[in-house]
Amino acid sequence: MSKSTRSTIQSRRARTGYLFILPFIIGFLVFMVKPLIISLEMALSNVKLNPGAPYTLEWNNFFNFKFSITSDAQYNQLLMDEIGRMAINTIAILVMSFVIAVILNQKFKGRIFCRVIFFLPVILASGVLPGIESSNEFFNLMTDVAKEATEGSGVNLSAALENLLSVSGVAGEVFDVIFQMIDAIYDIVMASGIQIIVILSGLQSISPSLYEAADVEGCSAWESFWKITFPMVSPLLMVNLIYTIVDFFMKNDNKVMERINNYMTGGNAVEMNFGYASAMSWIYFGVALAFIGVGTVIIKMAVKSYE
């Protein structure tokens, strides 16, 4: 294929991609740009609410940002906790979604039913299940009963195994991370549906002729996986990484988001402060962008080695 033909195909694909994301770009420009600018103005100012009149802004020389970083110990602690939880969950979700997608791509009876089961958490987590968990009295009652039963029986397999490894001198930071993943397996499975679909679509786009040629050359299934499957699907890891990080930072049970909302509404015994809430939001937004950037660079380096 000539260079000009290749560039033409790439240009056509690029135009098609821009057409797909054009509604989002228009929606962002129309509905999101102005609120972002107003939020940044509030973060850099003292916001004074005037009853019956528009609010006024008074420049405060980055005080909100300085205070949140240097003086608000609770916000910093919550931020560090959420960053650690995000890093662990992101790695676990990427690995789990890849493994499950590879399994679901195999031919076996009931494959469509299994795919539906793994995608159900996406539908439930979109609003139904969080509402049930937060407002359903029966659900809360059963959760309390299960917790009391576990504590009353004194049997906690995860804690018991962790203590056993710790006493034997085997446990370390790696095992701590593994046990955190085990404890968060429910959240990991609930958050893996979209990632599984993305990887699965990439697996189905791989031409069978590549595997046939590998069989003729005498490649084993393991060699075909690392020489064909993983290199062909690895670019989609970047898509999953970005989606996973954004999805995690917007979760309903995010403690940082709860603290920001408290300052926006004056809840949980804190004073309403739009300026400080906006500053915390922008810091949180910057942290998310930083992790997306670092993760993108790492994955690009890994993908580049397979080109």
Side-chain angles (χ1 to χ4, degrees), residues 10 86 111 174 180 256 289:
Q10 292 177 349
M86 181 274 301
R111 180 175 61 173
V174 176
Q180 290 181 37
V256 177
L289 287 182

Side-chain angles (χ1 to χ4, degrees), residues 11 21 46 52-53 55 57 77 87 112-113 127 142 145 162 170 180-181 188 194 198 205 222 224 228 260 295 303:
S11 300
I21 65 175
N46 292 323
Y55 61 86
L57 302 178
Q77 183 62 48
I112 297 177
F113 178 73
M142 295 302 297
V145 170
E162 186 174 359
V170 178
Q180 290 181 37
M181 291 182 181
I188 292 172
I194 295 294
V198 171
S205 66
W222 182 253
S224 296
I228 300 175
I260 293 172
V303 172

